[in-house]
Amino acid sequence: MKQRVFSGARPTGRQHIGNYIGAIENYVKLQEKYNCVYCIVDIHALTTLESTSELQQNIFEMTLDWLAAGIDPKKSIVFVQSHVPEVTELFTFLGMVTPLGWLLRVPTFKEKARMQPQNVNYGLVGYPVLMAADIMLYKTDLVPVGEDQLPHLEMTREIVRRFNFLFGDTFPEPKAKLTNYPMVLGLNGAQKMGKSYNNHIELAATPAETLEKIKTAVTDPARQRRNDKGHPDVCNIFSLHKFFNVDRVQEIEVECKAAGIGCVDCKKLLADGINRALHGFRERRIALAKDPDHIYDILSDGAGRAQAIAKETIMEVKTKMGLIRHA
Ligand code: SF4
């Protein structure tokens, strides 16, 4: 039996190269070795969204990106969180075994409450319980996470331990599948690449759009003129060359340090590398986008397969919690 991997991502619409390097590429690899469940967590998104008007389009765009990148719905279960309503049932049950004190101490709750003081909703404080429900509903063995997300997974593991202690052995304790990808800096060189900072390059961007975006990127701040020698180790463009121009990265480093290449040409090289690497992805995405029904069929099929697992789990949970009358 292969182990089961679960990962959820918020429906943020078109994905960018930071999403690809930090998560999607890994999703594609994992499905060769594990039974993977990949979920677009739309209910989670409601905790911070001011408007839901773009939610459906964002789900569609994100699914296109996942599929075009190589997530294979024949190998993995790909679905939308709210299409399997059992997750909200488990969320309610787990809420009864999770002490409020645990949730109020979570740093991300405090941070989000600070960021949206006008909307400190119940879902925000219950976020880790819903996350635990996502993971536990599918009896997950492994969760791909970066080091910084380990405390979130630990909360799920605590809820698992508490549930198993109170009602008997029911859930495996999910383990972290550490993915130590370096953080991808945004083009402004100041924050992690993200749509909210508009410092990103969409995977689906055209080659011309990619070049235009890269032209705006911050480079080595000490390199003011073409003849100044550069410091590639502090240049974000150089860090992206490591992903998209692997075979030329040493040469670029040497040339930058010797002022043999200017930043304008270096950026063009990066744009070429990204456009080359994403050419197949972009062709597949265009083809997939022509048939939206096919995309919705994939999500519907994924929800059906996920629900089959979820129903079994809910039946077991309700039985153990005494909610079902024994014959
Ligand atoms: Fe960065 Fe390239 Fe300019 Fe060097 S030449 S500072 S690596 S953009």
Side-chain angles (χ1 to χ4, degrees):
M1 268 288 274
K2 286 181 182 174
Q3 289 184 299
R4 185 170 289 144
V5 165
F6 177 92
S7 188
R10 282 173 169 241
T12 50
R14 288 182 169 214
Q15 302 290 279
H16 52 70
I17 60 174
N19 298 131
Y20 182 74
I21 293 166
I24 303 171
E25 189 184 33
N26 189 40
Y27 284 2
V28 175
K29 285 183 189 149
L30 287 172
Q31 63 186 351
E32 300 306 325
K33 199 169 161 203
Y34 301 100
N35 286 326
C36 296
V37 180
Y38 295 135
C39 180
I40 298 177
V41 291
D42 55 346
I43 307 175
H44 281 291
L46 298 179
T47 59
T48 52
L49 273 187
E50 284 170 14
S51 159
T52 57
S53 61
E54 292 177 1
L55 195 51
Q56 288 307 313
Q57 188 61 27
N58 283 348
I59 289 169
F60 180 74
E61 299 281 354
M62 192 162 160
T63 310
L64 279 182
D65 282 337
W66 279 11
L67 298 175
I71 293 179
D72 181 349
K74 292 195 183 75
K75 292 179 185 161
S76 303
I77 296 178
V78 182
F79 72 108
V80 178
Q81 185 185 30
S82 67
H83 296 182
V84 181
E86 284 77 4
V87 74
T88 55
E89 210 173 343
L90 186 58
F91 170 53
T92 302
F93 298 149
L94 296 180
M96 308 305 166
V97 303
T98 308
L100 186 58
W102 290 5
L103 301 174
L104 293 175
R105 280 196 296 272
V106 173
T108 45
F109 165 66
K110 291 181 183 169
E111 189 188 321
K112 284 193 174 147
R114 215 172 22 249
M115 283 166 70
Q116 53 180 62
Q118 77 295 353
N119 183 21
V120 184
N121 57 69
Y122 166 66
L124 214 52
V125 75
Y127 196 98
V129 184
L130 183 56
M131 202 178 94
D134 283 322
I135 294 168
M136 292 164 69
L137 191 59
Y138 305 103
K139 300 270 182 103
T140 300
D141 300 297
L142 298 167
V143 181
V145 287
E147 294 251 10
D148 56 330
Q149 296 163 314
L150 281 175
H152 299 150
L153 182 60
E154 192 48 38
M155 171 72 81
T156 297
R157 287 163 56 81
E158 282 186 39
I159 295 172
V160 165
R161 285 194 288 269
R162 189 159 167 81
F163 188 97
N164 287 350
F165 172 74
L166 291 170
F167 301 107
D169 208 14
T170 308
F171 295 104
E173 264 185 51
K175 294 191 178 65
K177 176 95 184 109
L178 272 180
T179 52
N180 287 323
Y181 291 104
M183 181 182 75
V184 180
L185 265 184
L187 297 177
N188 58 359
Q191 300 101 348
K192 188 175 172 178
M193 186 174 285
K195 288 177 122 174
S196 47
Y197 303 114
N198 192 24
N199 63 2
H200 63 293
I201 302 167
E202 286 181 353
L203 293 170
T206 63
E209 287 166 348
T210 303
L211 178 59
E212 282 311 304
K213 272 277 191 168
I214 291 174
K215 279 184 185 170
T216 68
V218 170
T219 61
D220 170 10
R223 198 163 183 209
Q224 300 291 328
R225 289 173 297 273
R226 171 68 179 77
N227 291 337
D228 292 339
K229 290 179 179 170
H231 305 87
D233 46 318
V234 298
C235 175
N236 194 25
I237 293 292
F238 184 71
S239 67
L240 290 171
H241 275 301
K242 289 180 189 166
F243 293 107
F244 294 104
N245 271 324
V246 179
D247 49 346
R248 297 193 63 177
V249 77
Q250 275 186 323
E251 175 194 339
I252 292 166
E253 181 176 13
V254 170
E255 289 207 27
C256 172
K257 284 179 174 168
I261 184 172
C263 293
V264 172
D265 289 335
C266 190
K267 286 177 172 181
K268 277 191 196 139
L269 274 181
L270 177 62
D272 289 346
I274 291 175
N275 290 332
R276 218 173 18 250
L278 294 180
H279 178 72
F281 163 89
R282 289 168 174 168
E283 300 255 291
R284 286 190 295 278
R285 193 185 198 279
I286 289 167
L288 284 163
K290 286 181 180 154
D291 189 359
D293 287 348
H294 177 57
I295 303 301
Y296 292 118
D297 284 347
I298 286 171
L299 290 176
S300 170
D301 175 69
R305 286 154 64 201
Q307 194 167 34
I309 305 167
K311 278 183 183 296
E312 278 190 27
T313 306
I314 288 295
M315 185 56 74
E316 186 182 355
V317 166
K318 286 169 89 171
T319 303
K320 290 197 168 154
M321 292 185 95
L323 296 168
I324 291 179
R325 186 172 65 87
H326 291 282

